[in-house]
Amino acid sequence: MTPAFSFTTHEVENQPEIMSPYNLWTCDSLLQTAVKLNGGQHAEQTLENYGQVVGHQLMDAGEQANRHKPIFQPFDRYGRRTDTVEFHPAYHELMTAAMQAQVHAYSWRNPSQKGAHVVRAALMFMHYQADAGTSCPLTMTHAAVAVLNQSPNLPAFWTQKLINGEYDPRALPAEKKHGITLGMGMTEKQGGSDVRRNTTQAIKQPDGNYHVIGHKFFFSAPLCDAHLILAQTENGLTCFLLPRILPDGQLNQVRIQRLKDKLGDWSNASSEVEFQGATAYLVGEEGQGVKMIIDMVSLTRLDCMIGSTALMRQALVQALHHTQNREAFGAKLIDQPLMKNVLADLTLEVAASLALTMRVANAVDLTSSNKHEAGFSRIATAIGKYWICKRTPAFVNEAQECLGGIGYVEENVMPRLYRQAPLNSIWEGSANVQCLDVLRALRKEPEVKTALFDELSTAAGKNSYYDQHLVALKHAFNEPETLEVRSRLVVEKMALGLQGALLLNGDDKDLADTFCQARLGGNQGLIFGTLPANSALDAIINRGMLKNI
């Protein structure tokens, strides 16, 4: 008699279920606390509404937009030059939702509202967890307002359609659209961060406009309705607004050469372009280009902090979900002592990064009316951009490891987060550029050092490790002749000091004391998961958990 065989080789067990959709605002107590402490709690309904959209619609859209990369279409079927880029519908879904929620313009539409930049930072923080690529044009569009506000000679519709408009991807002149997006193109092959080496020329025409001849090596989001660029005139490096479509409906003489084949940021198109006599409009005065874009760069650097913190937050969410639902060696992963140390350390990093990011956003809100906040914003943006962005790749890798091999497989979000993680430390000035900017501010703007140490002094006496760190930081300036070569370490200590102060002034003693003992007291190793054994691991992990899910 033929024996009966079962053709079922195994059943899938001890594997987590795919995460259910959740509201990125109502479920995230770390975000709620950071926003509240910085004056943005009045917009809870706005944040809850967008948290629901991101968690229930845009997470999947972000996955789709990154699986289907933009495609460059230089010509139409009849051979006419179009210089267009084809995006997956998910990209447009992301942009539409974000602009409806004012991710690109909340702070400008509510200028008199307390904490407007904080609320906008929280909106961006949530959006970034769904997709980083669309966050690039949203960031540039937001930051460009700071430049356009200094340009009274430009037609008013540029600012009005940017701030009050909706997403409109049609290839039309800007004045005919329901809303516009703006990009930026500063970098050339020979210069990189050293924009004063730019060779692109702008030649004034009889009608007062300019014709631009040259190139840009990084020209992000090339289908934006216009880009702010830097070009040389007779009076030096100058800022210009360069439209994609001219008022008569013709394509401007901006030729896309190719799209960048990037490590990450796949949903967004980044390009190389040549200007073949492209029409551009003067922004500000000739020779004042760098001065004009400083405010814009400050805002985009803040968004680098927001984006990197968001990547860490979503990586932590994935790690916590997996370890809660996966058993090994007789116990849930999350209940095992060494894994607890890792997860608590990751939670600590997110809390500290979010606290510093939202504090800088708060300072941006108050810059125009408060000398301390202006000085603090100036230096803390560069400090935070340096430290938070440099911490992100190692963080995401550690969170990825919590998932084991499945965290390395493209079906999971973790590889996308890992590919994205290095970008913000490169974009808007590399780590060295940030450190040199901190030194430049300290040397040329004495008020920023005063603002920095005034901020740090608010937590003096609250923790002995913190007090020792503050004394050591003051001594770090005693040898100015070696300060540049030591600047990475000094800026790191500044960042850790600020994070420690903010946590000590916050609402969670376990987070603050553990941070100070580990990060400031030297009581941990060089990698995550090396917190002191007496740390309140369970309490810290609980702070990072999603609530009400």
Side-chain angles (χ1 to χ4, degrees):
M1 183 175 179
T2 304
F5 289 98
S6 170
F7 293 97
T8 301
T9 59
H10 70 286
E11 293 185 8
V12 177
E13 49 91 22
N14 194 29
Q15 287 282 9
E17 297 292 333
I18 296 173
M19 277 192 65
S20 300
Y22 68 99
N23 187 308
L24 274 75
W25 170 254
T26 60
C27 295
D28 191 344
S29 63
L30 287 176
L31 176 59
Q32 292 172 18
T33 296
V35 169
K36 180 179 179 180
L37 289 173
N38 288 284
Q41 67 272 19
H42 54 81
E44 285 191 59
Q45 191 60 57
T46 296
L47 295 169
E48 180 178 343
N49 291 345
Y50 197 56
Q52 185 76 1
V53 171
V54 174
H56 287 73
Q57 300 174 31
L58 300 189
M59 287 295 192
D60 183 63
E63 186 66 29
Q64 294 301 317
N66 280 274
R67 287 187 182 183
H68 303 278
K69 298 180 183 180
I71 300 171
F72 178 34
Q73 302 283 9
F75 302 98
D76 69 12
R77 68 185 66 181
Y78 297 107
R80 298 182 184 90
R81 189 85 193 205
T82 58
D83 281 295
T84 193
V85 179
E86 179 183 319
F87 291 94
H88 188 269
Y91 175 92
H92 299 298
E93 180 183 354
L94 286 155
M95 289 295 295
T96 298
M99 292 185 71
Q100 284 179 346
Q102 304 176 36
V103 175
H104 70 302
Y106 186 92
S107 52
W108 306 121
R109 292 180 67 168
N110 301 276
S112 61
Q113 188 179 86
K114 180 182 178 182
H117 277 280
V118 174
V119 175
R120 188 261 162 190
L123 291 167
M124 175 60 86
F125 178 80
M126 293 187 290
H127 183 88
Y128 212 102
Q129 292 180 65
D131 177 57
T134 48
S135 299
C136 176
L138 293 168
T139 285
M140 295 187 296
T141 299
H142 174 256
V145 177
V147 177
L148 298 185
N149 283 342
Q150 303 177 59
S151 311
N153 293 331
L154 288 175
F157 71 79
W158 285 104
T159 303
Q160 292 170 356
K161 288 180 179 289
L162 188 156
I163 293 176
N164 298 309
E166 60 190 51
Y167 180 59
D168 184 349
R170 296 177 299 167
L172 295 173
E175 57 265 42
K176 295 182 180 180
K177 298 186 68 170
H178 300 312
I180 61 174
T181 56
L182 263 66
M184 56 191 291
M186 309 295 172
T187 306
E188 298 183 8
K189 296 183 181 74
Q190 72 286 346
S193 296
D194 187 3
V195 295
R196 295 187 186 278
R197 297 189 66 170
N198 284 8
T199 60
T200 294
Q201 300 290 315
I203 304 167
K204 192 170 184 178
Q205 303 301 301
D207 63 1
N209 295 325
Y210 291 72
H211 284 174
V212 180
I213 301 171
H215 82 283
K216 296 297 173 184
F217 199 42
F218 283 91
F219 198 74
S220 290
L223 292 200
C224 284
D225 297 288
H227 282 72
L228 290 168
I229 67 163
L230 293 175
Q232 300 286 358
T233 67
E234 292 181 353
N235 294 306
L237 200 60
T238 302
C239 186
F240 293 93
L241 180 69
L242 187 146
R244 179 169 180 262
I245 307 293
L246 297 173
D248 63 3
Q250 296 298 307
L251 191 67
N252 204 355
Q253 296 298 311
V254 180
R255 295 292 169 256
I256 300 174
Q257 301 303 300
R258 61 173 177 167
L259 299 186
K260 298 288 192 182
D261 188 6
K262 300 167 293 185
L263 170 66
D265 208 47
W266 285 356
S267 64
N268 180 41
S270 299
S271 64
E272 299 174 23
V273 299
E274 291 184 355
F275 306 132
Q276 300 177 357
T279 298
Y281 312 131
L282 179 66
V283 176
E285 300 177 7
E286 285 194 10
Q288 300 297 310
V290 173
K291 180 180 177 182
M292 290 297 299
I293 66 168
I294 284 176
D295 288 343
M296 181 178 184
V297 169
S298 179
L299 291 173
T300 54
R301 287 177 175 176
L302 170 57
D303 273 22
C304 289
M305 297 169 61
I306 298 168
S308 290
T309 305
L311 291 175
M312 289 193 281
R313 182 47 169 147
Q314 187 54 218
L316 177 61
V317 166
Q318 298 296 324
L320 289 170
H321 172 73
H322 185 87
T323 56
Q324 278 181 289
N325 295 282
R326 174 80 165 176
E327 184 180 296
F329 310 113
K332 295 289 186 184
L333 288 174
I334 199 169
D335 294 327
Q336 300 187 18
L338 192 51
M339 182 60 81
K340 282 186 180 183
N341 199 317
V342 171
L343 295 171
D345 210 354
L346 295 177
T347 301
L348 201 62
E349 192 70 22
V350 171
S353 298
L354 192 52
L356 180 53
T357 296
M358 291 301 172
R359 175 66 185 90
V360 172
N362 189 12
V364 171
D365 270 313
L366 301 171
T367 293
S368 62
S369 60
N370 188 300
K371 183 178 180 181
H372 167 78
E373 298 296 332
F376 178 76
S377 172
R378 169 70 180 91
I379 195 166
T381 301
I383 293 171
K385 199 276 188 187
Y386 166 75
W387 182 241
I388 292 172
C389 297
K390 292 299 285 184
R391 294 287 278 176
T392 305
F395 180 105
V396 175
N397 176 243
E398 192 67 62
Q400 187 177 37
E401 189 175 321
C402 293
L403 279 67
I406 200 170
Y408 198 69
V409 176
E410 290 290 347
E411 293 173 332
N412 191 281
V413 71
M414 296 301 281
R416 172 154 63 97
L417 300 181
Y418 189 55
R419 285 193 302 270
Q420 195 71 33
L423 176 59
N424 283 326
S425 68
I426 300 170
W427 191 45
E428 293 309 306
S430 64
N432 285 355
V433 170
Q434 302 308 311
C435 291
L436 294 174
D437 192 35
V438 170
L439 297 190
R440 186 181 304 110
L442 292 171
R443 184 174 62 251
K444 294 186 175 182
E445 305 169 54
E447 66 275 11
V448 303
K449 185 176 181 180
T450 300
L452 173 65
F453 281 98
D454 283 350
E455 187 78 15
L456 291 168
S457 68
T458 62
K462 295 184 177 181
N463 182 282
S464 60
Y465 293 112
Y466 178 82
D467 292 342
Q468 293 167 18
H469 181 85
L470 187 53
V471 170
L473 181 57
K474 291 177 179 178
H475 290 162
F477 297 92
N478 289 347
E479 299 178 12
E481 66 277 6
T482 65
L483 192 53
E484 181 172 332
V485 75
R486 294 185 291 116
S487 61
R488 278 197 176 208
L489 180 59
V490 174
V491 174
E492 174 181 320
K493 290 183 180 299
M494 291 177 183
L496 290 171
L498 286 172
Q499 289 179 325
L502 291 166
L503 292 178
L504 287 169
N505 290 331
D507 68 343
D508 193 313
K509 182 174 174 56
D510 289 325
L511 278 175
D513 288 345
T514 303
F515 182 92
C516 291
Q517 182 182 2
R519 304 285 201 271
L520 306 184
N523 293 313
Q524 74 170 131
L526 298 178
I527 60 174
F528 291 104
T530 56
L531 293 177
N534 64 349
S535 302
L537 302 179
D538 290 322
I540 294 171
I541 291 171
N542 185 58
R543 282 303 305 270
M545 290 285 193
L546 296 179
K547 316 297 186 200
N548 308 314
I549 189 171

